[in-house]
């Protein structure tokens, strides 16, 4: 089930893992191959997907949060405030449901002096967006685990080896790639 809505949860949350903060959800939920195994989304959301259409409000929440944030060089990035734009979905897999094209949303971060975007995926072959014309490369984190575990936990997903094989293609498209 897909429901289009305007999110009321416009809270940008601090983070200290792969990003400095987590943006409000563009999409909450996922149709990925791990939803029936270890993914926490299915425990709370089942097979429902909420597409939030108030993209301006979501981005402005991040901008407002960043105004009170003091960026220091850290493990996330030495210069830019890194924003996880897809904490509760695999945005690469779910990009066809977005309220605006992925490239347009990424460009908002590229145009901002201090912000940059990051997202994780288990479907890098679906990422075709060329960002070579951007001022700063957005980051994609390609999720990996040993294939013997992926066969159990991530059925029907892109194989781990093919994810690795996609790294150079993503770099050629202008992405900063983390594994």
């Amino acid at each position: 089930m897909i429901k289009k809505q305007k999110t009321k949860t416009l809270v940008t949350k601090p983070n200290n893992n792969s990003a400095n903060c987590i943006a409000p959800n563009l999409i909450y939920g996922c149709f990925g191959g791990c939803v029936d195994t270890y993914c926490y989304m299915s425990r709370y959301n089942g097979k429902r997907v909420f597409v939030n259409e108030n993209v301006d409000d979501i981005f402005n929440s991040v901008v407002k949060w960043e105004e009170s944030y003091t960026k220091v060089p850290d493990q996330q990035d030495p210069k830019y405030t890194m924003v996880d734009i897809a904490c509760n979905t695999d945005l690469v897999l779910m990009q066809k449901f977005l309220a605006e094209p992925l490239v347009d949303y990424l460009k908002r971060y590229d145009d901002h002096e201090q912000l940059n975007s990051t997202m994780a995926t288990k479907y890098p072959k679906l990422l075709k967006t060329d960002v070579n014309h951007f001022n700063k490369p957005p980051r994609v984190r390609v999720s990996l685990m040993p294939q013997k575990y992926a066969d159990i936990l991530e059925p029907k997903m892109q194989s781990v080896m093919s994810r690795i094989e996609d790294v150079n293609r993503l770099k050629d498209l202008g992405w900063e790639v983390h594994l």
Side-chain angles (χ1 to χ4, degrees):
M1 175 189 93
I2 296 175
K3 180 181 179 188
K4 293 186 178 190
Q5 66 178 21
K6 290 187 176 184
T7 185
K8 296 174 189 159
T9 311
L10 292 168
V11 177
T12 299
K13 299 173 186 170
N15 186 270
N16 197 24
N17 293 322
S18 54
N20 298 112
C21 67
I22 300 170
N25 297 313
L26 292 169
I27 296 178
Y28 185 78
C30 191
F31 296 134
C34 61
V35 76
D36 291 324
T37 58
Y38 71 94
C39 180
Y40 67 91
M41 283 305 301
S42 63
R43 289 189 294 251
Y44 301 104
N45 209 43
K47 303 263 188 221
R48 297 176 300 165
V49 171
F50 298 91
V51 176
N52 295 317
E53 296 182 308
N54 51 334
V55 177
D56 290 334
D57 296 334
I58 292 168
F59 181 73
N60 289 333
S61 167
V62 177
V63 171
K64 184 176 179 184
W65 178 87
E66 194 272 332
E67 289 171 356
S68 64
Y69 178 73
T70 303
K71 174 66 181 180
V72 294
D74 56 18
Q75 69 180 5
Q76 289 80 15
D77 193 87
K79 182 175 179 182
Y80 300 110
T81 300
M82 296 304 296
V83 181
D84 190 333
I85 62 169
C87 184
N88 291 307
T89 194
D90 188 318
L91 201 54
V92 173
L93 174 66
M94 302 297 289
Q95 65 186 304
K96 65 183 172 189
F97 301 108
L98 287 171
E100 72 178 27
L102 178 59
V103 69
D104 293 347
Y105 191 68
L106 295 170
K107 191 68 176 134
R108 292 171 185 253
Y109 289 90
D110 186 56
D111 289 344
H112 192 279
E113 183 178 303
Q114 191 57 38
L115 299 175
N116 201 359
S117 59
T118 181
M119 61 184 170
T121 188
K122 295 175 181 119
Y123 296 93
K125 73 178 176 185
L126 298 177
L127 186 55
K128 312 274 190 215
T129 306
D130 187 325
V131 293
N132 280 303
H133 61 285
F134 278 31
N135 298 309
K136 52 190 181 260
R139 180 179 300 158
V140 62
R141 303 179 324 270
V142 178
S143 300
L144 302 177
M145 68 171 62
Q147 189 63 55
K148 68 180 183 177
Y149 298 119
D151 291 341
I152 297 165
L153 298 172
E154 301 174 348
K156 300 178 237 157
M157 295 176 105
Q158 189 174 339
S159 73
V160 173
M161 184 52 69
S162 69
R163 294 179 209 180
I164 294 168
E165 290 167 352
D166 269 329
V167 167
N168 286 334
R169 182 186 62 79
L170 293 171
K171 290 169 70 175
D172 289 344
L173 288 171
W175 289 85
E176 178 183 318
V177 181
H178 287 203
L179 301 174

